[in-house]
Amino acid sequence: MANISIPQKDSSSTRKAEIEKVAEGYVYNTEYVMPLIEAEGSLDKNDPNWLLQTFRAFLKIRSNLGATVKESGLTFEKELVRRSPKNLVSTIQSGGVSEYYAPDLGVCQPSGKAQSIQDYTDKVFFNIKVPDIASRFDSDEQFGYTFLAGPNPNQVQKMKSIPQAFPITNEHLRSVAEFANDDLSSALNEGRIFFVEHTEMASLKNGLHPQGPKYQYAPWAAFAVPRGGGRLYPFAIQCGPTPQGREIYTPKDGYTWKIARNCVLSAHNNHHEVVTHLGLTHLLVDAAVAATRRKLHVRHPIHALLNQHFEGTVNINVLARTNLIQPGKSVERLVGSDILDNQQYSARSRLAYSFRDNYVPTRLKRFGVFDTKTITAYPYRDDALLVWQAVYDWVSSYVEVYYKNDAEIRADIELQAWAAEATNVGKIKDFGVSPGAVRDRTDLIEIVTMIIFTAGPQHAAVNFTQGTEMTFVPANPLAGYTPEPKGRGHTEKDWVANLPPLDVAVHTLAILTQLAGINHTQLGIYEPEMTLKVGPQLARFVLRLADIERTIDERNKKRVPYIHLKPTRIPASINI
């Protein structure tokens, strides 16, 4: 990191030329996910420690795949290719490491349909440990908990009135024993009814598996909390966006209810991968990286603060855009909807996302879940608020060292150009109070806090849960393989048939172990030069993070452990 100093009010010609030279290394590209303008940076290099972690993850994946081929009894379409050390060197140099160590073995012959839930452990996991969720996934308690501590944990909203498109009733609520004497109208008035919906996904086309169709659903799910507060109890699911031709299922509906849960989870997890994860962390931060690298000098204090929060981001985003989310690649294999539709869905969601309206406390209040007295245990909310406030206070103390008043903010030519670039070129909606400019110190503090939180804690929360919650496919399927249920009376066989086939489960384990198996850099650790002017402020931040770590450890003694916002597990940047 270069020396840190406040910029001159009028940039010198030398400084301007240096900024322009760096900007040439970060070009915009609209080829891969139209209509997004995304950065490609030839100046970014992968850190050696990142490479080492990557190879360790790949070796684990390759070992498990080898055992799968030998011991599972499944016959795959493709062989597990082995290469000599000489050929491996060329593989690494050509960027084909993932294709060698975590290849897609194709479909199983003649069919890879599971016969039971046990097949998803016995025929998939060999040299990789089965995650803990496999022992508890098949319960309504875990289903409710997924929306509070799973891969997509910030979608729950308070229901203020019964939607016309989702006509739940007292009968539905009272299907759950804890609400047998409750009243839906009273529960609504008391703020105890919540929902998750993905009705916008009705516009997405179904994808295809080589051996048949996949299905993308657009469901509603309703949850209730008992009087006095507590956990979320699911009580009603509608598997499509409107009630016409559909029924609303409850926990009393046996295996039909379990299939309905699958429909909700596959939509929720498709949304997670395409929107929450890709669009609203990777691609959102991509625009901030480009604006920072193109408009701020390396010695600008905001560049110096953000630089480590951007380490590896351009590289990993280029890999994702050119590989994972392209036709025929892993995302198409795993998720339920058409890959080209998913690209556009991701782009639309990213462009429509209000940066300022989604500051963590603001979003939680807007969704009606900020209050801890109703949903008393909401691990993502509770831990995210601690980390957000710690980052906010650190950024506040940093900005106050370099900017003595609001006038200095408005007079900073580079800072204003940065905000204009992020807004007008990067298309970040509502980038601060006055998009296209930075109004004052508070505005700058909020913007920078949101960038750091998104690049570090938010990405950690939605990325690393892929390893703990999603590698065991029945717990969090990414697609359905039968149509949404009609009527009732479904069987265990019908439930298993709705889940992904075993070839998809094998590839899911490989890809998500890769994405969740690399944890490089750490929130709060900066280059030594950072201490030159803000040493005491940084020391307070580090101590604050250590205190949060202890708090989360104590919380985890009283809940299903939620580890993804523990500061020691939060990378500083999106680098995987």
Side-chain angles (χ1 to χ4, degrees):
M1 182 183 293
N3 288 337
I4 303 167
S5 64
I6 195 165
Q8 300 298 315
K9 292 181 179 179
D10 296 303
S11 297
S12 67
S13 58
T14 300
R15 188 179 180 105
K16 184 177 180 181
E18 289 175 349
I19 292 173
E20 291 174 349
K21 183 177 180 181
V22 172
E24 291 175 359
Y26 296 91
V27 297
Y28 292 115
N29 191 315
T30 61
E31 179 180 354
Y32 298 111
V33 187
M34 291 289 289
L36 287 184
I37 296 175
E38 301 161 298
E40 293 199 32
S42 60
L43 302 179
D44 287 53
K45 305 296 180 185
N46 285 324
D47 185 277
N49 289 328
W50 182 90
L51 291 170
L52 180 61
Q53 285 201 41
T54 300
F55 276 109
R56 285 174 176 166
F58 278 141
L59 288 171
K60 180 191 294 186
I61 295 164
R62 177 78 184 194
S63 173
N64 193 79
L65 284 173
T68 302
V69 170
K70 290 180 180 179
E71 301 176 34
S72 68
L74 300 173
T75 302
F76 291 92
E77 177 185 17
K78 302 174 186 177
E79 292 185 4
L80 188 61
V81 177
R82 288 173 173 76
R83 296 182 181 171
S84 69
K86 181 179 179 180
N87 287 334
L88 278 178
V89 171
S90 64
T91 298
I92 293 167
Q93 292 173 339
S94 66
V97 182
S98 180
E99 286 77 7
Y100 178 74
Y101 282 98
D104 182 356
L105 298 177
V107 299
C108 295
Q109 305 292 346
S111 170
K113 293 301 293 183
Q115 300 304 305
S116 68
I117 295 296
Q118 193 64 35
D119 281 349
Y120 290 99
T121 54
D122 293 351
K123 296 181 181 295
V124 178
F125 290 85
F126 292 92
N127 297 331
I128 293 177
K129 182 180 180 293
V130 178
D132 292 342
I133 196 171
S135 65
R136 64 174 188 275
F137 84 98
D138 185 21
S139 71
D140 288 341
E141 181 174 3
Q142 177 59 42
F143 179 72
Y145 197 69
T146 291
F147 299 92
L148 307 177
N152 201 6
N154 60 351
Q155 304 300 310
V156 174
Q157 301 183 56
K158 182 181 291 184
M159 186 179 287
K160 296 178 181 178
S161 61
I162 297 173
Q164 186 175 0
F166 185 36
I168 54 175
T169 66
N170 263 334
E171 183 181 1
H172 297 130
L173 177 64
R174 291 170 180 170
S175 68
V176 177
E178 285 77 5
F179 303 95
N181 298 313
D182 212 330
D183 176 76
L184 182 59
S185 179
S186 298
L188 278 168
N189 292 334
E190 293 162 9
R192 296 189 287 111
I193 302 298
F194 298 85
F195 72 99
V196 171
E197 59 91 12
H198 292 294
T199 57
E200 78 286 356
M201 299 182 83
S203 66
L204 303 181
K205 298 174 186 174
N206 288 333
L208 286 172
H209 181 271
Q211 294 177 330
K214 294 191 285 188
Y215 295 89
Q216 179 56 66
Y217 315 104
W220 291 85
F223 307 83
V225 175
R227 291 189 176 95
R231 65 177 179 88
L232 284 181
Y233 288 81
F235 70 87
I237 291 173
Q238 179 178 286
C239 295
T242 62
Q244 285 73 32
R246 294 185 174 90
E247 299 184 54
I248 293 176
Y249 299 110
T250 75
K252 288 186 175 181
D253 290 320
Y255 282 106
T256 306
W257 168 252
K258 293 188 180 189
I259 297 171
R261 288 191 324 206
N262 283 357
C263 293
V264 175
L265 289 171
S266 64
H268 192 65
N269 292 324
N270 194 333
H271 177 275
H272 159 263
E273 295 293 5
V274 174
V275 177
T276 301
H277 185 192
L278 174 64
L280 304 182
T281 63
H282 282 262
L283 302 183
L284 182 65
V285 172
D286 193 87
V289 175
T292 302
R293 299 275 174 80
R294 288 172 55 84
K295 296 300 179 181
L296 299 181
H297 193 275
V298 292
R299 290 189 295 108
H300 191 285
I302 298 305
H303 186 292
L305 175 59
L306 290 177
N307 195 42
Q308 282 177 251
H309 296 288
F310 296 153
E311 189 271 329
T313 300
V314 171
N315 284 349
I316 202 67
N317 284 354
V318 169
L319 285 172
R321 294 196 304 265
T322 59
N323 193 324
L324 285 179
I325 64 170
Q326 292 303 310
K329 300 295 185 177
S330 294
V331 171
E332 182 174 42
R333 282 280 277 132
L334 303 185
V335 302
S337 45
D338 176 78
I339 189 62
L340 297 180
D341 272 15
N342 276 326
Q343 289 181 359
Q344 295 305 303
Y345 181 38
S346 180
R348 288 195 307 270
S349 301
R350 211 295 260 153
L351 292 171
Y353 183 75
S354 171
F355 188 80
R356 190 165 186 264
D357 284 352
N358 285 287
Y359 297 163
V360 171
T362 305
R363 181 186 178 95
L364 291 170
K365 290 173 184 176
R366 182 161 57 88
F367 277 27
V369 292
F370 186 83
D371 173 30
T372 61
K373 294 180 181 178
T374 306
I375 305 176
T376 54
Y378 186 168
Y380 169 82
R381 174 199 64 195
D382 301 338
D383 297 356
L385 285 171
L386 287 179
V387 178
W388 172 274
Q389 192 61 50
V391 173
Y392 184 93
D393 291 345
W394 153 236
V395 174
S396 299
S397 65
Y398 183 94
V399 167
E400 288 165 4
V401 167
Y402 288 101
Y403 295 93
K404 301 305 179 186
N405 53 55
D406 295 337
E408 288 187 353
I409 295 284
R410 291 188 286 271
D412 185 335
I413 296 171
E414 292 174 21
L415 194 64
Q416 300 304 330
W418 171 71
E421 178 94 353
T423 298
N424 300 325
V425 182
K427 303 296 183 184
I428 301 179
K429 182 182 177 182
D430 300 328
F431 191 72
V433 176
S434 304
V438 184
R439 188 174 71 178
D440 51 32
R441 291 197 298 179
T442 299
D443 195 22
L444 178 61
I445 290 163
E446 290 176 344
I447 291 169
V448 173
T449 298
M450 181 64 166
I451 292 172
I452 292 175
F453 187 88
T454 304
Q458 181 65 15
H459 181 256
V462 302
N463 181 70
F464 295 111
T465 39
Q466 292 177 118
T468 58
E469 312 297 310
M470 299 180 78
T471 53
F472 179 69
V473 162
N476 274 292
L478 281 159
Y481 288 78
T482 57
E484 64 178 87
K486 299 294 182 182
R488 289 175 169 79
H490 294 83
T491 65
E492 181 178 7
K493 184 178 179 180
D494 297 324
W495 176 44
V496 175
N498 180 260
L499 291 168
L502 293 171
D503 63 271
V504 173
V506 169
H507 195 52
T508 299
L509 177 60
I511 293 302
L512 299 189
T513 297
Q514 176 185 342
L515 296 180
I518 300 164
N519 193 307
H520 173 63
T521 72
Q522 186 178 316
L523 183 67
I525 297 179
Y526 293 88
E527 295 288 348
E529 289 86 349
M530 183 62 77
T531 63
L532 294 177
K533 290 193 70 172
V534 291
Q537 292 85 351
L538 179 56
R540 285 198 295 272
F541 180 46
V542 171
L543 289 173
R544 180 83 165 274
L545 293 177
D547 187 55
I548 290 171
E549 183 96 3
R550 288 189 289 271
T551 298
I552 293 174
D553 285 339
E554 286 301 311
R555 288 174 172 174
N556 283 340
K557 294 176 182 179
K558 302 174 184 178
R559 66 189 187 191
V560 175
Y562 183 70
I563 60 175
H564 302 294
L565 288 174
K566 285 165 60 80
T568 57
R569 299 180 66 91
I570 299 173
S573 67
I574 297 173
N575 52 62
I576 186 61

